[in-house]
Amino acid sequence: MKRYLSLMLVIIMTTALLMGCSSDSKEEPTTQTKESTTKKEEKDTAKKEEEVTTIDFYYRSSNEIYFKEIIANYESQNPAVKINQVAYPNKDYKNKVLVQLAGNGDIDVFDTGNAAEYASYVDKKQLLALDDLIAKDNLDLGPYGNTIDQLRINDKLYGLPFTTSAWVLFYNKDLFDAAGVPYPTDDMTWDEFREVAKKMTSGEGNDKIWGTYVHTWPQCWYGPALQNGETIVSGNYGPFQEALQFKMDLESDGSAMPYTEAVATSAHYNAMNQTGKVAMVPIGEWHIEQLRTAEKEGSMSFDWDIAAMPHPEGVAPNTTWGMPAELSIVEGKDNVDAVWDFVKYASGVEGAKVFAESGRLPAIINDETTKIFIGDPNQKPQNVEMIFNQEIYLEMPAVPNINSVFEIFNKESQLTFANERSVEETIKVIEERVNNEYR
């Protein structure tokens, strides 16, 4: 019996030892597996990080709502690309970009803004010419219309436009109805506009209704000269003299707020129009978005519409002025192919649809973007389709140092608005300064 019990004890201990070994053998591989899995995950993460291409993109914060959506759409379709987006307010934007460009900073692509700024970057050799990339991809530039030709400098293209602008005439239908004056038409000369502005002007002080409000930007007064096909460097300043005289005539009539009062009170076209105390406001089509937003927020309630910009006698109706905005690639970057792919997307049809949905006029105008831009046919403005049938001249030509000429027009005209110099003398000084300082 004693021998039997000893044998059983041996069997039990042996079994327990084997079970213990078996248990240990199961735990040890599990730990190794976890460590192995963690290392594999770390490697996969590192590999993914190595595979992601980062693009540094600068743009104006006024375009933030559009570019955020465009970037989100692009990244969802291109998971190996990360767009590092940097937005700055318009007043700071240009200086921020210049600092990055001067220091070879983290900026691959940016919104070059208007044609004048675009030309200045080209003049400093800071932009990559896109012609070889366009040829390699056989990219069709036809949908951009004549904007492409306006942006070529020395036969080279340095940016793809993503939006354009077209100036139109906004008018307050409620004020016209109350005054019993017919609405503006798409074929109204500037002389006819002046007479309508007189009829629509009434009241004094806080009850003043202005026939029109002409904003303080130089292109607001010299726009009629552009409709004649002139530019601020074309050398024919007769139409500019007529345009400046016309602005002074509106002020003399009392139908337009004087320039000096607009500056002193920090008046702005958007706020002026939304007060409901201005009958007509000539400004860019982007104002549509501003008014639609104000209506949604309940901050304005009057009825309004648009008409084609009035035109000089002898100029075809629906001739106006405007300015594209472009995306350009910084010269000397080593991720050009990735950046170019993003530029084609953001400035292409997909980007155009995002801008059109928000009431911004995209650079690509086709049936699809036109339909999106118009949106609900019951929303304002009712006459929106006239925008797509315009002849548009550039506010400023895309040539080097054009900003300096624009500033000459700005500074010298202020002396006339302040009644310190005649229209004729101001235009003579402008011509002399442009000839001496620009040519």
Side-chain angles (χ1 to χ4, degrees):
M1 183 64 181
K2 189 175 181 180
R3 291 181 59 190
Y4 174 76
L5 290 174
S6 298
L7 179 61
M8 287 300 295
L9 182 60
V10 169
I11 292 172
I12 291 170
M13 291 178 66
T14 302
T15 302
L17 181 62
L18 290 173
M19 289 180 68
C21 291
S22 176
S23 176
D24 290 345
S25 67
K26 285 180 181 177
E27 287 179 0
E28 190 171 351
T30 300
T31 301
Q32 291 175 344
T33 300
K34 288 181 178 177
E35 292 176 352
S36 177
T37 301
T38 300
K39 290 179 180 177
K40 184 177 185 304
E41 289 174 348
E42 290 175 350
K43 287 181 179 178
D44 289 344
T45 301
K47 187 177 180 181
K48 287 180 180 177
E49 290 177 350
E50 290 176 359
E51 291 174 348
V52 171
T53 298
T54 300
I55 295 174
D56 294 303
F57 175 33
Y58 277 57
Y59 60 81
R60 287 170 169 78
S61 56
S62 56
N63 289 322
E64 189 167 14
I65 58 172
Y66 319 113
F67 280 130
K68 273 193 170 181
E69 182 176 347
I70 291 170
I71 289 169
N73 294 341
Y74 182 79
E75 288 182 335
S76 69
Q77 297 174 30
N78 299 272
V81 177
K82 169 66 178 175
I83 308 293
N84 179 29
Q85 50 184 311
V86 183
Y88 280 109
N90 289 11
K91 63 183 179 64
D92 301 324
Y93 178 77
K94 185 179 177 181
N95 287 336
K96 296 292 185 182
V97 167
L98 288 174
V99 168
Q100 288 296 319
L101 293 176
N104 194 25
D106 294 330
I107 177 171
D108 299 312
V109 55
F110 65 107
D111 159 16
T112 44
N114 59 49
E117 291 182 23
Y118 164 81
S120 71
Y121 294 123
V122 173
D123 194 40
K124 296 174 184 172
K125 304 185 186 312
Q126 293 170 317
L127 304 183
L128 177 71
L130 305 180
D131 304 87
D132 290 345
L133 296 169
I134 292 169
K136 183 185 69 174
D137 291 351
N138 195 26
L139 183 65
D140 181 14
L141 299 178
Y144 296 96
N146 64 355
T147 301
I148 293 296
D149 292 333
Q150 294 172 328
L151 291 175
R152 288 193 186 282
I153 298 178
N154 296 328
D155 295 327
K156 290 187 178 296
L157 186 66
Y158 295 87
L160 276 188
F162 57 90
T163 60
T164 189
S165 63
W167 288 51
V168 299
L169 183 66
F170 290 79
Y171 64 94
N172 184 319
K173 296 176 73 173
D174 286 358
L175 291 179
F176 275 85
D177 290 342
V181 176
Y183 298 147
T185 70
D186 290 336
D187 184 8
M188 183 168 63
T189 67
W190 282 111
D191 289 339
E192 292 168 336
F193 168 86
R194 182 182 176 186
E195 294 306 312
V196 173
K198 289 180 186 176
K199 293 178 182 177
M200 294 304 303
T201 302
S202 64
E204 298 290 340
N206 292 333
D207 296 326
K208 176 81 174 187
I209 299 295
W210 296 99
T212 185
Y213 174 76
V214 180
H215 199 47
T216 54
W217 301 333
Q219 64 268 45
C220 296
W221 67 260
Y222 72 57
L226 305 179
Q227 291 174 298
N228 279 293
E230 301 296 341
T231 75
I232 56 177
V233 293
S234 60
N236 180 13
Y237 291 101
F240 290 91
Q241 182 169 318
E242 293 174 4
L244 184 55
Q245 184 61 59
F246 184 78
K247 173 62 167 62
M248 297 305 293
D249 291 341
L250 291 175
E251 292 190 9
S252 297
D253 294 339
S255 57
M257 177 182 283
Y259 175 91
T260 50
E261 182 178 344
V263 172
T265 60
S266 300
H268 190 274
Y269 69 87
N270 189 23
M272 287 291 293
N273 201 11
Q274 290 188 33
T275 61
K277 293 189 174 183
V278 181
M280 299 180 289
V281 178
I283 200 71
E285 104 297 326
W286 64 83
H287 192 38
I288 292 174
E289 176 204 0
Q290 294 169 330
L291 295 186
R292 285 177 175 175
T293 300
E295 286 182 321
K296 290 177 183 176
E297 294 174 347
S299 58
M300 60 171 278
S301 58
F302 59 82
D303 197 7
W304 60 278
D305 206 343
I306 61 173
M309 190 63 85
H311 58 88
E313 193 73 46
V315 171
N318 222 354
T319 299
T320 187
W321 61 94
M323 188 75 81
E326 316 75 32
L327 292 183
S328 296
I329 301 174
V330 177
E331 175 69 71
K333 295 294 179 177
D334 56 10
N335 56 347
V336 169
D337 287 343
V339 179
W340 171 235
D341 190 70
F342 172 67
V343 168
K344 286 188 295 182
Y345 181 89
S347 291
V349 173
E350 295 306 315
K353 288 192 288 189
V354 172
F355 283 102
E357 283 173 354
S358 300
R360 288 291 306 276
L361 193 61
I364 291 182
I365 304 294
N366 59 25
D367 290 344
E368 185 177 16
T369 57
T370 298
K371 185 177 180 181
I372 293 173
F373 184 87
I374 293 172
D376 181 353
N378 296 317
Q379 70 177 342
K380 302 167 191 169
Q382 293 177 324
N383 193 29
V384 66
E385 293 191 33
M386 53 77 48
I387 290 178
F388 303 101
N389 299 306
Q390 295 176 305
E391 177 73 16
I392 304 173
Y393 290 102
L394 284 182
E395 294 171 26
M396 291 177 279
V399 296
N401 298 322
I402 194 65
N403 262 337
S404 63
V405 178
F406 182 76
E407 197 55 29
I408 290 173
F409 274 74
N410 184 31
K411 293 292 185 184
E412 299 300 338
S413 61
Q414 290 176 14
L415 294 177
T416 293
F417 293 135
N419 292 315
E420 295 179 7
R421 195 167 61 196
S422 70
V423 169
E424 293 79 4
E425 289 172 323
T426 286
I427 295 300
K428 184 179 179 182
V429 171
I430 288 175
E431 183 173 5
E432 290 174 351
R433 286 195 61 188
V434 172
N435 287 335
N436 294 334
E437 300 173 28
Y438 173 75
R439 300 186 192 286

